[in-house]
C-alpha cells in the first residue's frame, strides 16, 4: 500500500475505534474521564518504556491499561471520601500526567518519546515504523495495534451489548438484577485506555479527546437507537479521518489537527440539520405548532 | 405463614450522617404496604440498602428466607423515575425488555417471546400504543408506566417501588394503583415509598412509618393514627402547620 494509503487507513481506524467507544462514553456521561485517561496513559507508556526499554505495541497497551485503571480507581477513591467528582478527576489526571512529563524529561529524553509527540501525535511517521505480520506482510506497527484494539473493543461491545445498555441507562436496576456494574465500569475504563493509547501515536492525547467525543455527540443527534448510534459514531469517525486528511493535504497543515477540526464540522452540521434533534427541525416543529394554535 | 421479607437491626449512613438506625420489621406475603415518612427519613435508602445498592453498616436482610443475591429474580425494584436519563437513545419496549435481562443471560439477544412478554406488560399499563416511542417523547406519567411495565415483566413475587406516584397525572395514578391491587390479588407482595398521607388509608392495607427508625408498622386500620403520624413527622409536621394554617 502507498504511503498515503497507510496514513488514511491509520486515521480511519482511529476514527472507527474512537467512535465506537465514544458513543458509550457520551451515554455514560463520562466525557471528562476520557479527557483524564487520554492524558494519564502517558505515564503508563513512559513506565512501560522505562521497564522494557522499547516502545512496542503490547507493552504500551499494558502500561496504558494499568494507568487508565489507576486513574479510574483514584478518582473513585477520592470521590468516595468527599471530594467532588470533577475535582477528583482534575486532581488525578494532571498529577499522573505531570509525573509522566517529568519522567520523560529526566529519564527518557530521546527521539522516540517527547511531550510534543505525546500531545499531538505524529501520524506522518507511522508508515515507516513497520512490523512483519504472517499473512499480511510488512505493515505499520500502529495499524496492527489499532486492528487488535478494534477487534477487542468491538468484540467486548458486541458481546456485552445488553449489559452496556442497562448499566448506562439505569445502573440501579442493573445492580439489582445482579449485573456487575462496578466491573463494567472498570472494564470500560480499560477499553478507553487501550483505545487512547492505540490512537496516541497517530493523533496524540489532545486530539484523541476530539475523536472520542465529537463524532459520538454528532451521532447522538441522528438516532433514537443505541445500535444505530454506535455504528453512526464509528462511521462519523472514519468520515472525519478522510475529510481531515483531504483538508490537511489542501491546506498543507497538521493531519491530526484537521481530523479533529473535521469532527467539529460534522457535529455542527448534525446540530443544524439532523431530523429529530437538529436546530432546523426544532424550529420547523415549533413553527408548525404555533400555526396549529392560531388556526 | 413465612414472611417474604425480614429486616433486622439495619443500619446505614451517608458519609457520617446516620440515615437508618436499627430498622427492624417483617413483611407478610400478599400485603400492600406504604412506606411513609418525612424528607430525609431514609425511605429510598431503606430500599437501596435492602437491595445491596447502598452499603449496609449493620443488621440483616432476608428475602424469602435467604440473602438478596439468592433471591434476585423474585424481587422487582422500580427506582425513582428521575434517577435515569430519559434522553437515552431507546424506545419504551426496549426499556421494558431490560426487566428481563436478568433472565435472558449475558450473551443471548432478547427473542420473540421476550418481546411478546414486554408488549403484554406495556398493554397492562395502557401503554401498548407507545411501544416504539422514543422515551424522551413520553410524558412523566407515561414514563412511570413504562417503568412499572418493566417491573411487571420481571414477574417477581415481591415488588419494591420508590415513589411511583410522585408527580404523575391522575390517570396514571389510577392505572398504577389498579396494577398494585391486581398484583396483591395474585398473591404478590408490594412495598411502595409514598408521600401522600391522604391516600394511605384507602390504598394500602399496611403502613411502615419511618423516620430513621421504624416508628410504627402494621395494618393501616390499627396503626395509622394521629399519634403515630405526629411521632413520625415530629416537629416537621407542626412547623408545616404553623406555616400553612
Amino acid at each position: 500500500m502507498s504511503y498515503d494509503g497507510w496514513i488514511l487507513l491509520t486515521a480511519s481506524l482511529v476514527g472507527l475505534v474512537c467512535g465506537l467507544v465514544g458513543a458509550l462514553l457520551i451515554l455514560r456521561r463520562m466525557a471528562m474521564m476520557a479527557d483524564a485517561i487520554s492524558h494519564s496513559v502517558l505515564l503508563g507508556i513512559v513506565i512501560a518504556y522505562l521497564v522494557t526499554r522499547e516502545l512496542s505495541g503490547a507493552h504500551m497497551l499494558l502500561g496504558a491499561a494499568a494507568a487508565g485503571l489507576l486513574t479510574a480507581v483514584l478518582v473513585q477513591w477520592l470521590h468516595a471520601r468527599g471530594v467532588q467528582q470533577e475535582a477528583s478527576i482534575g486532581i488525578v489526571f494532571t498529577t499522573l500526567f505531570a509525573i509522566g512529563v517529568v519522567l520523560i524529561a529526566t529519564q527518557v529524553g530521546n527521539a522516540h518519546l517527547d511531550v510534543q509527540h505525546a500531545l499531538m501525535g505524529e501520524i506522518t511517521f507511522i508508515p515507516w515504523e513497520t512490523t512483519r505480520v504472517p499473512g499480511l506482510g510488512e505493515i505499520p506497527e500502529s495499524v496492527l495495534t489499532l486492528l487488535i484494539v478494534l477487534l477487542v473493543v468491538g468484540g467486548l461491545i458486541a458481546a456485552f451489548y445488553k449489559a452496556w445498555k442497562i448499566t448506562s441507562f439505569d445502573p440501579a436496576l442493573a445492580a439489582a438484577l445482579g449485573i456487575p456494574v462496578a466491573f463494567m465500569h472498570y472494564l470500560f475504563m480499560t477499553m478507553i485506555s487501550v483505545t487512547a493509547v492505540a490512537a496516541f501515536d497517530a493523533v496524540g492525547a489532545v486530539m484523541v479527546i476530539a475523536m472520542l467525543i465529537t463524532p459520538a455527540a454528532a451521532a447522538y443527534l441522528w438516532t433514537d437507537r443505541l445500535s444505530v448510534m454506535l455504528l453512526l459514531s464509528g462511521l462519523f469517525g472514519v468520515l472525519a479521518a478522510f475529510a481531515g486528511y483531504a483538508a490537511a493535504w489542501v491546506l498543507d497543515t497538521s493531519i491530526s489537527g484537521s481530523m479533529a477540526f473535521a469532527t467539529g464540522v460534522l457535529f455542527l452540521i448534525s446540530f443544524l440539520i439532523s431530523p429529530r434533534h437538529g436546530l432546523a427541525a426544532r424550529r420547523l416543529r415549533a413553527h408548525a405548532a404555533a400555526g396549529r394554535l392560531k388556526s | 405463614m413465612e414472611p417474604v421479607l425480614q429486616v433486622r437491626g439495619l443500619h446505614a449512613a451517608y458519609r457520617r450522617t446516620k440515615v437508618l438506625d436499627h430498622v427492624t420489621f417483617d413483611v407478610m406475603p400478599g400485603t400492600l404496604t406504604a412506606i411513609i415518612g418525612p424528607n430525609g427519613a431514609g425511605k429510598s435508602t431503606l430500599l437501596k440498602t435492602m437491595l445491596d445498592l447502598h452499603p449496609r453498616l449493620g443488621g440483616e436482610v432476608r428475602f424469602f428466607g435467604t440473602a438478596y443475591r439468592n433471591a434476585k429474580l423474585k424481587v422487582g425494584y422500580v427506582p425513582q423515575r428521575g434517577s435515569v436519563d430519559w434522553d437515552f437513545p431507546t424506545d419504551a419496549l426496549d426499556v421494558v425488555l431490560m426487566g428481563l435481562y436478568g433472565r435472558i443471560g449475558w450473551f443471548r439477544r432478547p427473542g420473540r417471546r421476550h418481546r411478546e412478554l414486554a408488549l403484554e406488560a406495556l398493554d397492562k399499563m395502557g401503554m401498548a400504543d407507545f411501544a416504539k416511542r422514543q422515551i424522551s417523547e413520553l410524558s412523566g406519567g407515561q414514563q412511570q408506566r413504562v417503568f412499572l411495565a418493566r417491573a411487571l415483566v420481571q414477574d417477581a413475587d415481591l415488588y419494591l417501588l420508590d415513589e411511583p406516584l410522585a408527580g404523575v397525572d391522575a390517570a396514571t395514578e389510577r392505572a398504577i394503583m389498579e396494577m398494585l391491587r391486581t398484583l396483591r390479588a395474585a398473591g404478590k407482595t408490594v412495598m411502595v415509598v409514598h408521600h401522600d398521607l391522604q391516600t394511605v388509608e384507602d390504598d394500602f392495607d399496611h403502613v411502615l412509618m419511618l423516620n430513621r427508625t421504624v416508628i410504627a408498622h402494621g395494618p393501616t386500620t390499627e396503626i395509622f393514627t394521629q399519634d403515630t403520624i405526629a411521632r413520625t413527622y415530629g416537629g416537621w409536621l407542626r412547623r408545616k402547620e404553623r406555616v400553612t394554617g
Side-chain angles (χ1 to χ4, degrees), chain A residues 27-29 79-83 159-166 168-173 175-180 183-184 220 223-227 229 276-277, chain B residues 15 51 53 68 72-73 77 79 83-91 94-95 98-102 104-110 132 134-137 147 150 154:
Chain A
L27 294 175
R28 297 169 85 86
R29 297 173 177 257
H79 182 52
R81 274 151 193 81
V83 182
F160 297 131
Y161 183 71
K162 293 203 311 294
W164 295 123
K165 191 192 275 184
I166 193 170
S168 303
F169 175 65
D170 192 346
L173 178 78
L177 288 175
I179 290 159
F183 171 77
M184 297 302 287
Y220 177 82
T223 177
D224 290 334
R225 292 176 65 89
L226 174 59
S227 50
M229 179 176 163
R276 213 188 272 278
H277 303 286
Chain B
R15 302 263 150 74
L51 297 170
L53 300 176
Y68 175 65
K72 272 175 181 152
L73 290 180
Y77 170 52
S83 67
V84 307
D85 171 18
W86 290 93
D87 284 324
F88 196 87
T90 188
D91 57 33
D94 208 35
V95 171
M98 289 180 195
L100 292 168
Y101 280 12
I104 295 174
W106 277 84
F107 301 109
R108 278 174 49 215
R109 289 166 51 100
K132 282 288 160 195
Q134 156 71 15
I135 53 173
S136 64
E137 293 169 11
F147 254 29
R150 186 177 71 177
Q154 285 180 257

Side-chain angles (χ1 to χ4, degrees), chain B residues 177-245:
Chain B
M177 284 318 303
E178 185 57 42
M179 164 199 162
L180 299 184
R181 278 190 285 269
T182 311
L183 286 173
R184 176 179 55 186
K188 316 267 187 180
T189 312
V190 184
M191 295 188 83
V192 180
V193 171
H194 195 51
H195 61 281
D196 185 1
L197 293 182
Q198 313 277 348
T199 56
V200 170
E201 282 180 296
D202 293 334
D203 288 340
F204 298 90
D205 52 48
H206 281 66
V207 62
L208 175 70
M209 305 172 85
L210 188 76
N211 195 343
R212 302 197 179 193
T213 191
V214 177
I215 307 293
H217 175 227
T220 312
T221 47
E222 288 170 28
I223 67 138
F224 191 66
T225 62
Q226 285 291 341
D227 174 54
T228 52
I229 294 172
R231 277 197 286 137
T232 307
Y233 287 83
W236 188 82
L237 199 66
R238 277 196 293 278
R239 270 202 306 280
K240 196 161 181 184
E241 271 164 9
R242 265 209 305 278
V243 173
T244 53

Side-chain angles (χ1 to χ4, degrees), chain B residues 23-86:
Chain B
V23 172
T24 297
F25 62 90
D26 282 354
V27 176
M28 300 307 282
T31 52
L32 177 49
T33 305
I35 304 171
I36 62 165
N39 291 332
K43 304 184 295 285
S44 293
T45 310
L46 173 62
L47 296 193
K48 285 181 189 153
T49 311
M50 292 192 309
L51 297 170
D52 299 334
L53 300 176
H54 185 81
R56 184 192 310 174
L57 298 180
E60 200 189 3
V61 180
R62 297 186 85 70
F63 290 88
F64 305 95
T66 178
Y68 175 65
R69 65 175 178 280
N70 304 320
K72 272 175 181 152
L73 290 180
K74 288 184 174 181
V75 181
Y77 170 52
V78 180
Q80 284 183 18
R81 180 165 53 91
S83 67
V84 307
D85 171 18
W86 290 93

